[in-house]
Amino acid sequence: MISLQFITHQTERYSYFESARMALEGGCKWIQLRMKEAPLEEVEQVALQLKPLCKEHEAILVLDDHVELVKKLEVDGVHLGKKDMPIDQARQILGEAFIIGGTANTFEDVVQHYRAGADYLGIGPFRFTTTKKNLSPVLGLEGYASILSQMKEADINLPVVAIGGITNEDIPDILRTGVNGIALSGTILRAENPVEETRKILSNS
Ligand SMILES: Cc1ncc(COP(=O)(O)OP(=O)(O)O)c(N)n1
Ligand SMILES: Cc1ncsc1CCOP(=O)(O)O
Ligand SMILES: [Mg+2]
């Protein structure tokens, strides 16, 4: 089964928590709580609700951006981008027991995160998406193939999660580039039934 990371999002129909609940019900085993514009207290409140639900579903819970909150709440890990706390600093705070993911858009980003001790890479965006503002350049299939071949050449062995505007139909081609997992948000939340859509995505791949 494909390694699927669901990225929470608030829509007209669903709250952040509800979005994660539906992905878990559909069988997703890895949730990233991403609440971009929310105050820290609100992120904490939702994370506290989500932690036991993820445990019940035997799913990993990582928070976007908030290293100190990850430590305080003892969730599984954090995802960090270029504008967030540097990965080596987060590692000093969290130690080895927590998962730290890093965003990459180029091979240079990959090398930097590898040296800093990231556990996995979120590489993207695959294509344009409205879920994130200030997107880095779109990679397409060629971008993944190129970064993954450079990683192989440099003997950098880190799990890669593709992200950004990905739909169910894209997944087989993306996986063929050598990517290990897929991160999705909008394609699940736009579906008429997000629980069934998550099941379909997991069973297709
Ligand atoms: C799996 C994954 N990959 C990339 C990102 C993007 O992180 P970042 O660049 O820090 O941007 P924000 O998500 O914080 O807006 C991600 N969150 N997850
Ligand atoms: C957080 C993030 N980082 C790069 S694209 C993206 C959004 C992913 O959501 P979607 O699957 O709706 O494009
Ligand atoms: Mg970030």
Side-chain angles (χ1 to χ4, degrees):
M1 204 199 302
I2 178 194
S3 167
L4 173 66
Q5 181 176 158
F6 176 75
I7 313 285
T8 64
H9 196 58
Q10 190 172 39
T11 71
E12 279 175 14
R13 290 158 83 191
Y14 309 115
S15 66
Y16 290 110
F17 177 79
E18 183 64 7
S19 73
R21 190 201 61 72
M22 293 186 296
L24 289 168
E25 203 177 315
C28 181
K29 298 290 181 194
W30 190 358
I31 304 292
Q32 179 185 141
L33 181 61
R34 179 175 183 271
M35 295 175 60
K36 221 47 221 181
E37 257 118 69
L40 191 62
E41 304 73 56
E42 213 181 298
V43 180
E44 177 166 356
Q45 199 192 341
V46 178
L48 280 170
Q49 268 183 291
L50 205 49
K51 189 182 165 188
L53 195 66
C54 284
K55 199 171 163 63
E56 199 181 299
H57 284 84
E58 299 179 340
I60 290 168
L61 175 59
V62 298
L63 305 188
D64 184 43
D65 299 343
H66 301 296
V67 176
E68 295 290 354
L69 195 57
V70 165
K71 188 174 180 187
K72 179 176 174 188
L73 302 185
E74 297 183 320
V75 296
D76 298 298
V78 68
H79 188 93
L80 298 170
K82 279 184 194 170
K83 295 191 175 146
D84 302 316
M85 182 187 286
I87 286 179
D88 46 4
Q89 195 181 327
R91 183 63 76 199
Q92 284 192 350
I93 293 170
L94 294 174
E96 293 301 323
F98 289 83
I99 300 166
I100 303 180
T103 303
N105 178 250
T106 62
F107 177 64
E108 288 67 36
D109 296 338
V110 168
V111 172
Q112 193 178 329
H113 292 328
Y114 177 70
R115 291 189 179 142
D119 294 304
Y120 77 92
L121 301 164
I123 302 187
F126 171 66
R127 73 157 65 81
F128 176 79
T129 175
T130 54
T131 308
K132 179 171 158 59
K133 292 179 189 148
N134 304 315
L135 273 188
S136 295
V138 162
L139 293 172
L141 289 174
E142 306 73 28
Y144 288 100
S146 161
I147 292 175
L148 281 146
S149 96
Q150 292 175 84
M151 285 175 68
K152 204 169 172 191
E153 215 167 287
D155 208 17
I156 296 179
N157 238 320
L158 277 183
V160 169
V161 175
I163 186 166
I166 299 173
T167 66
N168 194 4
E169 292 68 41
D170 300 319
I171 294 175
D173 284 343
I174 295 177
L175 291 177
R176 269 194 285 276
T177 68
V179 156
N180 310 88
I182 304 285
L184 300 176
S185 188
T187 197
I188 288 179
L189 298 177
R190 283 189 301 268
E192 189 150 317
N193 183 334
V195 175
E196 280 312 316
E197 188 65 15
T198 307
R199 279 200 191 110
K200 192 169 110 188
I201 289 164
L202 287 168
S203 67
N204 273 358
S205 41

